[in-house]
Amino acid sequence: MSLSAASLRKFSKSGSRPLPPAEPGSRSRRPIPGPTSPAQFFSILAFSLLRKPMFVDPSVKAGLYLCAAAAGSLIFDFVKMPPCYFSNKRNALNLIFVKWGWAWTFCSLTAFIIISTYIYTGANKRLLRAHLMRLLVGSACWYVCTGVFNTVESTFGSCYNQNGTLLKAPFRTFTRRSCRQAKGFWLGFDISGHCFLLTMSNLWILEELCVMRSWGVLGALLDANTQNDELAKTPTAVPRLPNVSPETVQTMRSAYSRLTMNLRTVFCTTACISLLWDFMFLITIIYFHSMPSKLLGTSVGISCWFVCYRCLFPHLEVGAFGGLAPGMPGDGPVHFVARR
């Protein structure tokens, strides 16, 4: 349908009215986000897929570990599964990942804590150092417990030959090293270090990654506070964040926009490591160790997590005691993580 000449002259003479100015006190409109790059798309997709298993309550996961160690060990002590690639201790996942399990956990969580803490503390070095102390406490738990496990096995073990006969040294007592030198086999009460390591590492990961559950809340708080700075003179301004300077808020907001994608990438990497630990924990239950060994190792790993994240860390103010008190994940100038 074409317009007549009179209609065209009418519309050409009547200029369009300008938009009225924004009313005082109205919130400024957020800009439309630009196009998403392929890297951002895959990062968001991986984060959406991995967030559900990582946001399980650690207390529930600890209960599942105990049930799996008890029931699974009881079943597979009587029902022998056929051997497979993973039933060999020399498999690649065991040698590359599980053997260095705490190192993988430590490195991935270090990267995650540094980036996330840099954002939600406004690049506060004292608080960043304090949050990293949780990994040092975990390293101490790992070192002490594995040392105790080795001591127990060495103290309550004996040396046997190829035929299963007990070997006795005439003038000395066999140790694990001397038993191997005599081409014997050392048999003792071997507390499952795999169950201990995989359980403790995964519970540590779940506790640290929980800040991503409330990451959108942090972004909303920072955005609201920045809008408040722009509308500070209006009567309907958004309440300011208490005890946080505008400079700190600006630093946090800038870091949030620049580093959130990197943080999601580290989150996805750590989540994949966590899923691998769950798989190797299941393999350990099926093929290795006895029921008491696996149950005791799992219990020790859960006990380390419970003492640290349920008894010790929640009662320490982050940054106290000369910057050595670790506090809980998410503790900082802005309280955005809901406590359980």
Side-chain angles (χ1 to χ4, degrees):
M1 179 180 177
S2 59
L3 295 176
S4 62
S7 299
L8 290 174
R9 286 195 301 270
K10 178 180 179 181
F11 281 106
S12 62
K13 292 180 180 179
S14 60
S16 59
R17 296 181 180 180
L19 294 175
E23 297 180 0
S26 62
R27 297 185 62 180
S28 59
R29 297 180 180 178
R30 302 183 64 180
I32 299 175
T36 302
S37 65
Q40 290 176 328
F41 171 77
F42 286 111
S43 175
I44 295 173
L45 177 62
F47 177 75
S48 301
L49 295 175
L50 294 171
R51 60 182 298 174
K52 183 169 291 187
M54 292 300 103
F55 291 164
V56 176
D57 189 346
S59 300
V60 175
K61 197 67 173 287
L64 292 177
Y65 282 142
L66 274 178
C67 294
S73 300
L74 184 62
I75 293 173
F76 293 110
D77 278 354
F78 295 97
V79 180
K80 297 299 181 182
M81 297 295 291
C84 66
Y85 173 75
F86 297 106
S87 63
N88 185 357
K89 292 183 178 181
R90 308 290 300 177
N91 69 78
L93 292 181
N94 194 40
L95 293 178
I96 298 175
F97 291 98
V98 180
K99 195 173 183 65
W100 302 92
W102 183 249
W104 285 99
T105 303
F106 185 92
C107 293
S108 60
L109 285 182
T110 297
F112 181 84
I113 291 175
I114 288 176
I115 298 176
S116 61
T117 306
Y118 181 88
I119 296 173
Y120 66 72
T121 63
N124 189 311
K125 295 182 180 179
R126 183 176 64 88
L127 296 182
L128 194 152
R129 182 176 65 250
H131 281 286
L132 288 174
M133 292 300 296
R134 289 192 298 273
L135 292 182
L136 294 183
V137 174
S139 299
C141 293
W142 166 79
Y143 182 81
V144 171
C145 291
T146 52
V148 171
F149 294 168
N150 292 330
T151 302
V152 169
E153 185 182 8
S154 300
T155 303
F156 299 98
S158 302
C159 187
Y160 296 85
N161 62 11
Q162 299 284 349
N163 299 324
T165 304
L166 179 64
L167 296 179
K168 294 184 179 180
F171 302 106
R172 58 188 175 88
T173 303
F174 272 115
T175 62
R176 293 183 63 180
R177 177 176 296 181
S178 60
C179 181
R180 291 178 181 176
Q181 292 175 352
K183 297 182 179 180
F185 293 94
W186 185 264
L187 296 178
F189 184 65
D190 181 18
I191 302 175
S192 178
H194 278 49
C195 287
F196 159 74
L197 172 65
L198 298 174
T199 301
M200 193 189 82
S201 297
N202 245 354
L203 293 176
W204 237 264
I205 289 175
L206 292 181
E207 289 287 355
E208 295 298 333
L209 297 189
C210 74
V211 298
M212 294 301 291
R213 182 197 295 265
S214 306
W215 202 247
V217 176
L218 175 63
L221 290 174
L222 296 177
D223 183 67
N225 197 67
T226 305
Q227 291 182 2
N228 175 46
D229 291 338
E230 298 173 355
L231 306 173
K233 297 182 180 180
T234 62
T236 58
V238 182
R240 297 179 62 86
L241 294 176
N243 303 323
V244 184
S245 65
E247 293 78 11
T248 302
V249 172
Q250 186 60 35
T251 301
M252 295 167 64
R253 192 167 188 264
S254 174
Y256 185 94
S257 61
R258 289 184 292 107
L259 299 177
T260 292
M261 181 178 173
N262 297 333
L263 185 64
R264 284 177 177 170
T265 302
V266 177
F267 173 91
C268 294
T269 303
T270 309
C272 291
I273 293 176
S274 175
L275 295 178
L276 177 61
W277 292 167
D278 281 337
F279 174 73
M280 296 307 295
F281 179 77
L282 180 62
I283 293 296
T284 302
I285 289 177
I286 295 175
Y287 290 107
F288 303 108
H289 300 288
S290 62
M291 177 182 176
S293 173
K294 288 179 280 193
L295 192 58
L296 186 56
T298 303
S299 300
V300 174
I302 293 176
S303 299
C304 291
W305 158 79
F306 183 82
V307 170
C308 292
Y309 281 93
R310 292 296 181 267
C311 300
L312 181 61
F313 297 159
H315 298 91
L316 295 175
E317 182 182 356
V318 61
F321 302 104
L324 299 179
M328 288 291 285
D331 287 352
V334 180
H335 301 286
F336 67 99
V337 177
R339 291 286 171 248
R340 298 184 181 91

